[in-house]
Each structure stands twice: as structure tokens, then as C-alpha cells.
Amino acid sequence: MKRLLLLLIACAMLGFAGVGVGDATEPIRQGAKGEEIVRIQMRLFDLGYYTYKPTGSFQTVTKSAVVAYQAASGIMSDGSIGDETLRTLFSRGAKRVDFHAEIPLTYTAQGAITQRGNAIDWETVKSRMAAGTLYRVRNASTGEDVLLLFSEGGNHAEMTPPRTYNENRQCIELLTKWLGSSNSFYKCAVLLELDGQWIAASMQWDGAEHVCLYVSGSRSHVHNLPDAEHDANVKKVTF
């Protein structure tokens, strides 16, 4: 496992060999996606700033890791990856996170599944969802509901908390309760209400504005690969 991780890091570093140190490149910012982001996340993971598996999507958790790296390296901590950040990040002298004696426990608070739904393929679900529409999502353990705004659908449903103050506050409170943190990438088995039908699903939340919702056949941002943990959740809540 250690050899595989070292090989992946070496490949990631080679992937940036074509980026000139003095080149004037556009900064990489939150919202960017692709193989380049996977390499950055892998490097941040190696240095101890990013503690989740690579997703290929530059969202809140990745930005927080970039800010922490920049602060530790004496670089302006704006969370965007410019020439200086990119150059030092993949250098031999890149600043690593100081060793900490305590390791936080993972969150495992979702209880027994009490509600289930139908397994419906993502392409079918996507064709029935409309951007800018609120959809009800139910915790398959507690039966609590939140409303989430569907923004787009690529490999899976990209959703956000509602914009109105009361609905947004209630949604954030429940997502924090379900996932154990206000800044987490843990996953939760849920049901999606669509046209009066409950559909087996799985969700994860970045602690701010981004919710990923998976159903049967959904794929991750990383090279269109399936996500085994989401798939397991979907099967767990399928009739």
C-alpha cells in the first residue's frame, strides 16, 4: 500500500513537470474539476492537509486544505492555486503538517435504516429533475427531511441548501446533525422524493454550499468511476 501511494505521488509530480516555474498561468480556483485537481488533492493528502480521498472537484474542503498549506508556507492564503503555490506544493521542500498526537474518530452516528425506496437509474432520475427546483431528501434512519435545490446533473446530482433564510438555516442544522460536523465529507443513506416516489440514494456535504446526491448508477467526478461507499448506501436503502 505504501509503495502504491509513493508511485501515485511520483506520477502526480511528473504530471506537473510541464508547468513552467516562471509561467504566467491562471490561478486554479474553487469550482475547478478534472485530473489536475486529483493530482493537487493527492499531493495535499501526502503533505497532511487534505484528509479525504481525491474527488477531482475543487470545493470547500480542498480550498481549506490549500489555505492551510499556504499559511504554513508563508504564501498569501486566498485558497486559489497560483504559480507560487503550485511551484512550492510540488517541490521537495514543500511544508508538511506538523505531527499531531491525536487522531479524531470517524463519524458513525447514522442508526438503523427505517425507511427504503426504489432503485432507479441515474439517467432516468436526471431526466426527471429540473434545475432550480427544490427536492425533498429524507434521512433513511431518522425520517427527517430537508429541502435541497437541484443545480445541475453530470455524473450525479449537484445540489445546494435553499436560498431563503429559514429554509437554509433548517437545512444546515439538519445536515450538520446527520453528518456529525459542519465541515465533513462523510456519507449518509437517504431517500429522494421525485414525482411522489421515494428513490434510494446517498449524499455527502462539504459543510457549506455543495451537496452531492447519488442514486443507482451515479458516478463520481474522478474519471467517471463509481463510488463504492455511495453504492453501498443506495443498496442499503433499496426495497
Side-chain angles (χ1 to χ4, degrees):
M1 185 66 184
K2 184 176 181 180
R3 290 182 179 177
L4 177 59
L5 181 59
L6 290 173
L7 179 60
L8 289 173
I9 293 168
C11 291
M13 294 179 72
L14 287 173
F16 277 95
V19 180
V21 170
D23 293 347
T25 58
E26 286 293 323
I28 303 169
R29 304 182 186 280
Q30 185 172 349
K33 297 179 181 179
E35 186 175 344
E36 186 176 38
I37 305 305
V38 174
R39 295 192 187 106
I40 290 169
Q41 290 170 330
M42 288 170 62
R43 182 59 171 161
L44 289 168
F45 180 89
D46 172 56
L47 296 173
Y49 297 94
Y50 182 79
T51 57
Y52 189 69
K53 66 183 181 182
T55 64
S57 181
F58 192 154
Q59 300 298 337
T60 304
V61 172
T62 304
K63 182 177 180 180
S64 296
V66 172
V67 168
Y69 169 76
Q70 290 171 327
S73 305
I75 301 171
M76 184 176 69
S77 306
D78 62 358
S80 65
I81 304 172
D83 290 340
E84 183 181 10
T85 299
L86 195 61
R87 182 178 67 250
T88 62
L89 183 63
F90 287 88
S91 70
R92 293 184 182 275
K95 175 70 175 176
R96 295 182 178 273
V97 169
D98 293 332
F99 175 77
H100 294 284
E102 295 182 359
I103 300 176
L105 296 175
T106 56
Y107 179 73
T108 57
Q110 188 174 23
I113 299 302
T114 62
Q115 302 183 44
R116 290 175 171 80
N118 296 303
I120 299 182
D121 185 75
W122 165 234
E123 292 301 320
T124 300
V125 171
K126 180 168 63 173
S127 69
R128 292 164 56 186
M129 298 182 76
T133 301
L134 287 170
Y135 292 92
R136 189 175 303 276
V137 174
R138 175 169 293 173
N139 187 313
S141 175
T142 66
E144 297 166 313
D145 294 347
V146 295
L147 291 175
L148 292 172
L149 188 69
F150 177 59
S151 55
E152 61 175 317
N155 292 349
H156 52 262
E158 306 280 359
M159 310 186 82
T160 64
R163 301 304 181 193
T164 59
Y165 176 76
N166 287 334
E167 289 178 336
N168 180 277
R169 183 178 62 178
Q170 181 183 26
C171 179
I172 296 297
E173 287 176 353
L174 280 174
L175 291 179
T176 303
K177 175 184 175 183
W178 295 0
L179 295 165
S181 168
S182 61
N183 188 14
S184 120
F185 260 90
Y186 297 119
K187 296 165 185 176
C188 181
V190 296
L191 303 172
L192 167 69
E193 185 181 29
L194 186 60
D195 301 330
Q197 182 180 26
W198 289 104
I199 299 170
S202 176
M203 63 163 286
Q204 81 190 93
W205 173 53
D206 70 357
E209 293 297 315
H210 188 74
V211 176
C212 292
L213 189 77
Y214 283 62
V215 297
S216 179
S218 293
R219 299 275 176 160
S220 72
H221 291 302
V222 183
H223 302 300
N224 200 35
L225 295 173
D227 186 298
E229 294 169 346
H230 280 305
D231 288 347
N233 272 348
V234 171
K235 290 178 182 178
K236 185 164 59 175
V237 295
T238 298
F239 283 121

